[in-house]
Amino acid sequence: MWAALRLSAPSLKFRRQVPFGTYHADFCSHAAKLIVEVDGDDHAMRVTTDAIRTRFLENEGYRVIRFTNSDVMDNIHGVVTMIAAEALTQKGRP
């Protein structure tokens, strides 16, 4: 995922494992105010915890989008395309 973001969307300048309070975002573009989370199977059992974390990150002014590990492994091109589209949408928001 990291390599795909760096190669496919270099202008977004994604960083990985970016700290936000007590949390770390998997991937973050400060320029686009966008956080990308890649969730493993264990996230199905952490819905409430993930919702609290997402709310915190959104209160920091970021949009959070999530993908499963299988999304990334099976369709990296589609995932990166969706991230780029969301980043363009996010840049246009006030």
Side-chain angles (χ1 to χ4, degrees):
M1 178 70 165
W2 175 236
L5 284 173
R6 289 180 55 200
L7 292 172
S8 300
S11 64
L12 296 177
K13 298 182 179 170
F14 272 96
R15 297 175 58 198
R16 59 184 170 170
Q17 293 300 305
V18 178
F20 286 90
T22 60
Y23 303 108
H24 283 81
D26 290 339
F27 302 96
C28 176
S29 169
H30 293 295
K33 301 293 277 184
L34 180 64
I35 292 173
V36 177
E37 293 291 302
V38 179
D39 297 338
D41 294 336
D42 63 325
H43 283 266
M45 300 197 309
R46 298 186 340 192
V47 174
T48 302
T49 304
D50 283 346
I52 293 167
R53 184 173 187 266
T54 296
R55 197 168 27 255
F56 172 83
L57 296 169
E58 289 174 342
N59 285 336
E60 294 293 307
Y62 289 80
R63 169 96 167 96
V64 179
I65 58 175
R66 295 182 174 278
F67 298 94
T68 65
N69 281 340
S70 61
D71 290 336
V72 173
M73 297 302 290
D74 297 339
N75 186 16
I76 190 68
H77 177 72
V79 167
V80 171
T81 299
M82 289 172 41
I83 291 168
E86 183 61 33
L88 290 174
T89 302
Q90 188 69 7
K91 281 186 173 184
R93 293 182 182 167

